Amino acid sequence: MITKHIAAATLLAALATPALAEGDPEAGEKVFRKCKACHQVGEGAKNRVGPALNGIVGAKVGQAEDFRYSKAFEEKAAEGMVWDDEALAAYLANPRDYIPGNKMSFAGLRKDDDIADVIAYLGTFE
């Protein structure tokens, strides 16, 4: 049963990749407003309830300095997990299911376009 779920997730990620590459950063900035209560990006971004997200696309999980991550995130960091487009998309769609035990209370983004746009927007911040 788990193997079927992994295979389905892998297939879904492979199919979603082109859409993610075509995300609209300007639209993503608007969608990111939902994230601003807990996260910052840009010059002078600081950790809040959630970590600052500059450089998150392509970064290792748990890379924000001076942020106390959940045990679930610490385990993913120890495994070497990276925030590539597919991982970010899965996490943004359903944070609690993708990394069970994480502290993020956000339920997730429901629209694939919103997810792709937020990832494109985050990708503009080194």
Side-chain angles (χ1 to χ4, degrees):
M1 186 71 163
I2 292 175
T3 304
K4 288 181 183 178
H5 288 259
I6 292 170
T10 302
L11 178 61
L12 181 60
L15 294 174
T17 301
L20 295 176
E22 297 174 12
D24 178 358
E26 288 182 26
E29 182 177 12
K30 293 175 186 163
V31 177
F32 188 77
R33 290 178 189 156
K34 297 176 183 182
C35 311
K36 282 186 172 185
C38 299
H39 297 282
Q40 290 186 351
V41 291
E43 190 174 331
K46 296 179 182 172
N47 296 329
R48 290 181 155 180
V49 172
L53 298 177
N54 291 341
I56 193 73
V57 179
K60 291 182 180 179
V61 169
Q63 52 80 33
E65 293 183 26
D66 301 322
F67 184 78
R68 186 174 173 169
Y69 288 96
S70 65
K71 185 176 180 177
F73 263 75
E74 290 173 357
E75 289 170 359
K76 293 296 183 184
E79 293 170 8
M81 183 178 164
V82 173
W83 286 124
D84 58 20
D85 286 353
E86 292 81 17
L88 281 167
Y91 186 70
L92 290 171
N94 195 330
R96 290 183 208 131
D97 281 355
Y98 190 68
I99 301 180
N102 80 77
K103 297 187 290 186
M104 191 156 110
S105 61
F106 185 64
L109 297 171
R110 299 293 168 232
K111 297 178 184 175
D112 291 341
D113 286 346
D114 286 351
I115 293 169
D117 293 345
V118 166
I119 294 170
Y121 174 67
L122 291 173
T124 66
F125 297 96
E126 299 288 320

